Amino acid sequence: MNRLDAAQEITTESVRLLLADILGTEIFDDLTFLSQGGDSYHAVLVVERVEELWGIEADFTAVLRSTPGELAEALGAATRPS
């Protein structure tokens, strides 16, 4: 189990860890997913992992356009599917 698997709470740090794991690079707080080398393929992986980890349907466009903090905030506000 890595640090991300153990993260129960959706925080900027947990989102940063998720993105770093998927993109394989250091993630900066002030850059969007696309600015950090993300693309639509990797965004799909993020959406799938968010659902797997937190049971939340992440908005694909939000993943592409958000910084880690913005994405954490959006995920925290999202409703879990029933």
Side-chain angles (χ1 to χ4, degrees):
M1 178 185 312
N2 64 31
R3 290 179 16 204
L4 183 58
D5 292 334
Q8 297 295 326
E9 212 174 314
I10 301 171
T11 63
T12 298
E13 177 64 15
S14 62
V15 169
R16 191 180 322 107
L17 288 170
L18 181 146
L19 298 179
D21 185 50
I22 289 174
L23 294 178
T25 188
E26 182 179 359
I27 300 298
F28 300 96
D29 287 337
D30 59 342
L31 297 175
T32 66
F33 180 76
L34 289 172
S35 299
Q36 302 197 61
D39 54 30
S40 58
Y41 170 76
H42 289 97
V44 168
L45 298 178
V46 171
V47 169
E48 290 174 350
R49 186 80 61 86
V50 165
E51 187 168 356
E52 181 182 295
L53 288 171
W54 296 305
I56 294 171
E57 294 179 18
D59 180 87
F60 178 79
T61 305
V63 171
L64 291 171
R65 295 182 177 170
S66 299
T67 64
E70 291 167 345
L71 185 55
E73 187 175 317
L75 293 174
T79 56
R80 298 181 192 271
S82 49

